[in-house]
Amino acid sequence: MRTQVAIIGGGPSGLLLGQLLHRRGIDAVVLERKTRDYVLGRVRAGVLEAGLVGLMEEAGVADRLHREGYVHDGTQIACAGEMFHIDFRALTGKPVIVYGQTEVTRDLYDAREAVDARTEFEVDHVAIHDADTERPHVTYDQHGATHRLDCDFVAGCDGFHGISRQTIPLGIRREYEKTSPFGWLGILSRTPPVYDELIYANSDRGFALCSMRNENLSRYYVQCALSDHPEDWTDTAFWQELKRRIPPEAAARLVTGPSIEKSIAPLRSFVSEPMRWGRLFLCGDAAHIVPPTGAKGLNTAASDVHYLHRGLTQFYEDGDPEGIDRYSERALLRVWKAERFSWWFSSLMHRYPDQSPFDLKMQQADIAFLRDNAAQQQAFAENYVGLPY
Ligand code: PHB
C-alpha cells in the first residue's frame, strides 16, 4: 500500500492533520492502536484557543463547536478566599472556546468517515523504517497480518508513549523534563457549573480548578498526592475538599452530585528536540507535554499541526521544502513559550512540599501583581488565548 503521508496516531493531532491535508488533496492514512470508542472515551481538557478554532474551520469541522461550544471572554483567579477576573476579550480582542477535546476528536472522526479517508484501527507493532531517506515506510500488524505502508512522509502523532519519538536515534534526540511532586484528581459530574467562567484557585490546602463542558456537565480538579488512587477518594470527600479550596461565595453555590468519571493526572513538562528527523515529523504529545494548568496540551499540538500542514502543502503544491525544513525550529519556538506559560502558571497556583515561608510570600506577591498590574494581565491574557502561530 502507498500513501503520501503516513500518520501514526488517531488522536486529535493526527486527525486534524489528516483532515487539513485531505482538503488540499494530499492523501494520508491514519494508524491507530486502539478503537475509535477507546479514543473517544478519554477525558481531556476543554479550552480551545482561537488558533485551533481557525484550524478546525479550515478543516471544515467547526460547525458543531460554534453551535455547542461556550465562548469565554475571561477567567477567574482565586487566592486566599477572593477572586478576580482577567478579561481576555478586553485585553486581546479574543475569547477562548470551552469545548471538550473528546468532542473535537469526535468531529474529526465523523469528518474523516464522511470523506472515506482511511483509518486503520487496532494496529500493533508499528515501526517506522528509513525515515532518514526519501523513501520511508511503515510496517504494522493488524488482526494477525503484517502490512507495509510506503509513503513520502511520516507524521508521528502517537503521543508521549508512542514509537515515533523513539525512532529518532538517541544521539540526535535531546530531552528536557520536569515533573511535579503532585497530581490532579479530576471528576466529571452531571451538575451545572458553579460559575460562568473557569475558576483557578490557589489555597492553603492546594490548587483547585472549576471547569465545565456544558450547562449540565462540570469538570472539577483538586491537587492531590501522586501516591493517591482515584478509588481512595469518595465523591463526598472530593466535594468537601473542593469547597474548602475555592472562595466561600463559590463554595456556597456549588451543586454536587455523583461523579461519572474520576482520574488522577500527573503534572509533567517535557520537550524532545528536534521535532524532525529526515522525513519523520513529531506532532503534539509525541514531542512535548505541558502540565494541564492553562489547558495548553491540545492547543500546542494544534500549532505543530499548523506548521506541519503548511510545510507539507508548500512541498506538494510549490515543490518548496522550506516549510518542512524549518518545521522543527518554528514548532519548537512556540512550544517552549507554551511550556514556559504552563510551568509559570502551575508554579503560581500549587502548594509545593518544600515551599518555604519566603516562597509562599513570593507566590502571593506574584498573584497580587497579576491582580493589580495591567501589563501582567496583558501578558497572561495573550498567553491564555494563545500566542500567534
Ligand atoms: C478542563 O476543563 O479539563 C480543563 C480546563 C482548564 C485547564 C485544565 C483543564 O487549565
Side-chain angles (χ1 to χ4, degrees), residues 43-47 98 100 184 188 198 200 207 209-213 218-221 291-296 345 384:
V43 179
R44 294 288 188 271
V47 179
V98 170
W184 279 16
L188 200 59
L198 270 61
Y200 289 91
F207 171 75
L209 169 61
C210 306
S211 183
M212 63 194 77
R213 292 293 175 271
S218 297
R219 182 81 172 146
Y220 296 103
Y221 299 94
T293 331
K296 291 284 163 243
F345 193 22
Y384 198 96

Side-chain angles (χ1 to χ4, degrees), residues 60-270:
V61 287
D63 289 354
R64 191 163 73 98
L65 95 76
H66 282 308
R67 234 177 17 247
E68 296 177 15
Y70 291 78
V71 174
H72 280 211
D73 288 334
T75 195
Q76 300 287 325
I77 307 285
C79 184
E82 289 179 8
M83 343 201 248
F84 59 94
H85 173 67
I86 298 185
D87 191 332
F88 305 147
R89 176 89 74 172
L91 292 161
T92 69
K94 290 184 208 155
V96 290
I97 293 193
V98 170
Y99 187 70
Q101 174 171 330
T102 311
E103 303 312 314
V104 168
T105 312
R106 188 188 309 281
D107 294 342
L108 286 164
Y109 268 126
D110 289 348
R112 203 166 169 76
E113 277 159 28
V115 296
D116 261 340
R118 239 179 83 200
T119 310
E120 298 297 337
F121 292 99
E122 298 181 284
V123 305
D124 220 347
H125 306 120
V126 176
I128 302 166
H129 309 271
D130 304 332
D132 56 340
T133 73
E134 302 227 320
R135 294 179 187 284
H137 72 275
V138 177
T139 53
Y140 59 93
D141 293 344
Q142 190 187 38
H143 311 142
T146 300
H147 301 268
R148 172 182 170 134
L149 179 61
D150 289 287
C151 55
D152 300 332
F153 298 100
V154 181
C157 307
D158 52 351
F160 182 68
H161 299 288
I163 55 97
S164 297
R165 184 177 67 256
Q166 317 292 340
T167 304
I168 303 180
L170 271 175
I172 289 173
R173 236 189 305 149
R174 178 107 203 248
E175 299 188 343
Y176 303 83
E177 182 165 29
K178 195 175 186 72
T179 51
S180 296
F182 43 74
W184 279 16
L185 168 67
I187 71 158
L188 200 59
S189 72
R190 289 197 210 288
T191 51
V194 65
Y195 204 78
D196 57 7
E197 289 183 344
L198 270 61
I199 304 174
Y200 289 91
N202 173 313
S203 90
D204 287 344
R205 302 181 62 88
F207 171 75
L209 169 61
C210 306
S211 183
M212 63 194 77
R213 292 293 175 271
N214 60 45
E215 309 90 343
N216 200 36
L217 195 57
S218 297
R219 182 81 172 146
Y220 296 103
Y221 299 94
V222 294
Q223 174 185 350
C224 67
L226 269 181
S227 53
D228 284 4
H229 299 285
E231 54 281 9
D232 301 339
W233 281 83
T234 62
D235 290 353
T236 312
F238 179 90
W239 292 118
Q240 199 172 24
E241 189 57 36
L242 180 66
K243 280 186 186 170
R244 294 166 86 166
R245 295 186 187 194
I246 60 180
E249 58 182 287
R253 290 168 38 170
L254 183 73
V255 180
T256 64
S259 64
I260 53 173
E261 197 265 356
K262 196 186 278 160
S263 53
I264 293 181
L267 274 77
R268 172 192 278 133
S269 302
F270 172 85

Side-chain angles (χ1 to χ4, degrees), residues 270-343:
F270 172 85
V271 180
S272 180
E273 295 186 344
M275 286 173 61
R276 174 209 184 172
W277 182 57
R279 290 196 158 210
L280 166 65
F281 301 87
L282 304 182
C283 277
D285 287 7
H288 44 76
I289 300 281
V290 286
T293 331
K296 291 284 163 243
L298 174 62
N299 291 299
T300 308
S303 66
D304 297 347
V305 168
H306 163 85
Y307 294 119
L308 183 55
H309 124 266
R310 286 289 137 97
L312 290 171
T313 306
Q314 204 180 340
F315 179 86
Y316 282 112
E317 290 181 2
D318 311 326
D320 182 0
E322 189 267 349
I324 50 177
D325 286 344
R326 296 193 57 196
Y327 168 71
S328 181
E329 172 197 334
R330 288 194 174 120
L332 282 167
L333 188 62
R334 193 176 184 282
V335 163
W336 278 112
K337 290 176 188 167
E339 290 285 345
R340 188 205 67 84
F341 177 69
S342 306
W343 159 82

